Amino acid sequence: CGGSVSDSSGVLQSPNYPGSYPNDVDCLWEIQVENNFRVTLTFRDIVMQSGTCQHDYIEVYDGPLHSSPLLGRFCSGSFPTYVSSSNMMSVRFHSDSRYSFRGFQAHYSSIPAGHNTTIQCLPDYMHIVVSRDYLRSQGYSAQRVTLNDNRCRPTVTSQEVVFNIPYNSCGTMQEENNDTINYSNTIRVASSGSIIKRKKNINLHVSCKMLRKSWQQVMYAAEDTVDVNEYQFGRYDMNITFYDSPAFLRQVRSSPYFIDLNQNLYLQACLHSSDPNLKVVVDTCVASPDPHDFNTLAYYLVRNGCPRDSSYATYYSPSSHFARFKFNAFEFMSRHPSVYLKCQMLVCRLGDYSSHCYRGCSSRAKRDTSSAEEEVDVVVGPLQLREGDAPSGTTG
């Protein structure tokens, strides 16, 4: 249950709805709609263990789970409606080991957030557009719109004032939060008149909150690409590529990628960002014969930074934006011709030795307060055994 949701509208419901939900589940849905839209969520049915909501309950958050305000926690009563303040909302459903009921069903949709100012979180900069009609309606001139750093000037058109604000200059502030790395700046609109001033200045506080963890899913192959979602909550642009040797000079471009059993596989994760003060590490990699199920027949190579497979190893990288690692190829069973790999990459501030990027192997709770898990699924051609290789079961 749970997962990342990006459609403009849809339905959320408890597991097995309208049947009884199972005991001891913890589901998290993260709804992320188009940039400059908001999420509206309306509950249509709620049948759960009532009372103090300590046993079974629903929680709604105004953004990512760990770093956003709680909009509501409930288990019965009237059917509430919630509206997010950005393009992201999180919904958590929890049940304990006692009683079970029908659960809940909710409908969500996206609504425009207003178009006086729009923001897009691109891989290298914030793209901010301020409407000149809005400025004129407030009695301000487009020529009075600036950043604190006057060297970073906007582009002024007949309709708009456009800023492209880099994440690592123009006075952009950087702060690491529980779920995100936040980049913020302030666009200032000064009133005219040097002697007296009858209107207050306007400060437009703009920020991009980049989710710190993202899942990259590959099917043991190369040429995988992740398209960055241009949201107010954004994801770092990251891809994973196979190489043919530990020198990491030549990418593997064939698809399918046919390999030998116990062959060494060399991979490089690459973070594409203009911010030089970031570090990427491999947090978790799990293999499965089914690209849609990493639970039933899951095999962990590394989990929470702790190697689980004896062949797993990391390599020195020339850049903090790269993470290099290897493991030996294996197969699950002869009836599973392909192996899929899903890796969770963790992005931290460079030099932040308190972060998990520098701690290495650590035993962390399933819901660690340092980060949320955000999925970006990418599937690219399968890795398969070469013809003639005898099936021999799982190794490692």
Side-chain angles (χ1 to χ4, degrees):
C1 61
S4 296
V5 181
S6 58
D7 296 333
S8 60
S9 63
V11 177
L12 306 183
Q13 56 192 28
S14 51
N16 300 333
Y17 181 90
S20 297
Y21 51 78
N23 292 326
D24 297 315
V25 296
D26 211 359
C27 309
L28 177 65
W29 292 269
E30 293 184 331
I31 308 169
Q32 199 172 15
V33 297
E34 187 179 349
N35 67 294
N36 302 304
F37 279 72
R38 295 179 182 178
V39 182
T40 177
L41 178 72
T42 301
F43 285 83
R44 304 288 179 84
D45 187 21
I46 304 172
V47 180
M48 300 169 60
Q49 184 177 357
S50 60
T52 60
C53 298
Q54 295 298 313
H55 305 289
D56 300 350
Y57 55 83
I58 304 165
E59 293 177 331
V60 180
Y61 290 85
D62 192 16
L65 174 67
H66 296 296
S67 60
S68 302
L70 177 66
L71 297 177
R73 174 174 172 151
F74 53 93
C75 56
S76 62
S78 59
F79 300 158
T81 294
Y82 297 98
V83 179
S84 65
S85 60
S86 71
N87 66 317
M88 189 172 184
M89 176 185 286
S90 297
V91 180
R92 181 188 179 199
F93 169 69
H94 173 82
S95 69
D96 67 2
S97 59
R98 301 180 70 187
Y99 307 110
S100 184
F101 298 85
R102 187 167 73 232
F104 77 92
Q105 184 182 76
H107 291 231
Y108 78 89
S109 60
S110 58
I111 56 175
H115 299 290
N116 293 332
T117 304
T118 61
I119 177 172
Q120 291 179 298
C121 301
L122 300 173
D124 295 328
Y125 57 88
M126 291 182 279
H127 179 71
I128 315 294
V129 178
V130 182
S131 165
R132 291 192 67 177
D133 286 341
Y134 165 70
L135 294 173
R136 282 191 288 266
S137 70
Q138 301 298 312
Y140 294 92
S141 165
Q143 309 307 318
R144 309 287 295 179
V145 182
T146 63
L147 293 176
N148 280 340
D149 189 339
N150 290 323
R151 294 170 296 178
C152 300
R153 304 295 302 170
T155 299
V156 180
T157 70
S158 60
Q159 301 292 326
E160 301 167 336
V161 179
V162 181
F163 284 93
N164 290 326
I165 307 174
Y167 294 133
N168 61 338
S169 60
C170 292
T172 300
M173 303 294 292
Q174 303 170 10
E175 178 188 11
E176 186 165 349
N177 208 328
N178 288 335
D179 300 284
T180 58
I181 294 178
N182 302 339
Y183 302 91
S184 60
N185 211 314
T186 303
I187 297 173
R188 304 189 183 278
V189 187
S191 62
S192 57
S194 57
I195 300 177
I196 61 173
K197 193 165 61 172
R198 298 191 184 278
K199 296 192 299 293
K200 294 181 178 180
N201 295 335
I202 297 177
N203 291 334
L204 300 175
H205 299 282
V206 295
S207 63
C208 281
K209 301 182 178 182
M210 305 299 284
L211 297 163
R212 294 179 60 235
K213 273 191 178 180
S214 61
W215 282 101
Q216 309 295 321
Q217 181 174 318
V218 296
M219 259 205 320
Y220 279 13
E223 306 259 55
D224 55 306
T225 303
V226 179
D227 292 327
V228 174
N229 296 316
E230 300 176 350
Y231 295 147
Q232 291 143 300
F233 281 97
R235 289 185 171 91
Y236 285 110
D237 183 9
M238 188 126 45
N239 73 322
I240 301 175
T241 307
F242 281 87
Y243 282 78
D244 65 355
S245 77
F248 291 93
L249 296 177
R250 291 185 302 274
Q251 295 183 16
V252 175
R253 300 186 180 275
S254 60
S255 180
Y257 179 20
F258 290 98
I259 53 89
D260 299 315
L261 198 60
N262 283 324
Q263 174 183 331
N264 282 328
L265 301 178
Y266 305 96
L267 301 90
Q268 175 176 274
C270 178
L271 170 67
H272 301 282
S273 173
S274 63
D275 185 352
N277 298 310
L278 296 177
K279 178 180 176 64
V280 60
V281 298
V282 182
D283 185 72
T284 299
C285 276
V286 56
S288 169
D290 184 346
H292 306 294
D293 181 1
F294 284 86
N295 295 308
T296 305
L297 285 176
Y299 180 82
Y300 282 89
L301 299 166
V302 57
R303 190 172 191 177
N304 295 335
C306 302
R308 295 294 185 87
D309 182 274
S310 61
S311 70
Y312 177 86
T314 58
Y315 288 88
Y316 166 79
S317 172
S319 166
S320 63
H321 284 196
F322 295 156
R324 293 174 170 178
F325 59 103
K326 73 95 174 177
F327 62 93
N328 291 355
F330 57 91
E331 58 174 342
F332 282 87
M333 282 176 282
S334 60
R335 69 175 184 271
H336 299 298
S338 300
V339 177
Y340 298 72
L341 182 68
K342 188 163 88 166
C343 291
Q344 185 183 70
M345 314 305 298
L346 179 59
V347 180
C348 303
R349 302 300 302 164
L350 189 63
D352 179 8
Y353 295 101
S354 65
S355 71
H356 291 306
C357 288
Y358 290 90
R359 293 183 197 172
C361 178
S362 61
S363 57
R364 305 203 291 273
K366 181 179 180 182
R367 296 210 173 271
D368 183 2
T369 56
S370 66
S371 269
E373 297 178 356
E374 303 296 333
E375 286 193 15
V376 179
D377 293 331
V378 180
V379 178
V380 288
L383 182 145
Q384 300 172 351
L385 289 178
R386 296 185 195 275
E387 292 292 332
D389 282 343
S392 57
T394 304
T395 65

